[in-house]
Amino acid sequence: MILWLRLSREATMRERPILKPCPFCGAGEASFDHMTHWTGQRSVIVNSTLRHWCESEDTRHPLITITRSNDDDCIAVWNKRIGGDV
């Protein structure tokens, strides 16, 4: 049990890739939500959802939602731009 706690602390302390600015508003607020499943012994993350709220009132879609299997995949999709690298 102690080993599991030590590993989970190290996993949460690793650096996460930085989100690029929103292509529509250039800023805004973003958050991650996690859907979890209780296995009987612990809770397992099933998927991660990145939600971004555009600050500009003239945008067509003030809420952008990306759902993938983990936070890093959400960030990779968010940071991908047409004609550019991830």
Side-chain angles (χ1 to χ4, degrees), residues 9-64:
R9 279 193 207 121
E10 290 173 6
T12 57
M13 294 187 68
R14 69 181 177 83
E15 290 187 27
R16 181 180 288 176
I18 297 172
L19 289 173
K20 289 183 179 179
C22 175
F24 303 108
C25 71
E29 180 182 329
S31 67
F32 285 94
D33 294 321
H34 300 105
M35 178 181 283
T36 59
H37 173 71
W38 180 252
T39 64
Q41 294 182 353
R42 63 186 175 120
S43 187
V44 177
I45 294 177
V46 176
N47 65 33
S48 297
T49 301
L50 182 142
R51 288 189 174 87
H52 170 76
W53 291 267
C54 287
E55 292 181 348
S56 176
E57 293 182 14
D58 62 342
T59 56
R60 298 178 91 186
H61 304 288
L63 174 64
I64 301 168

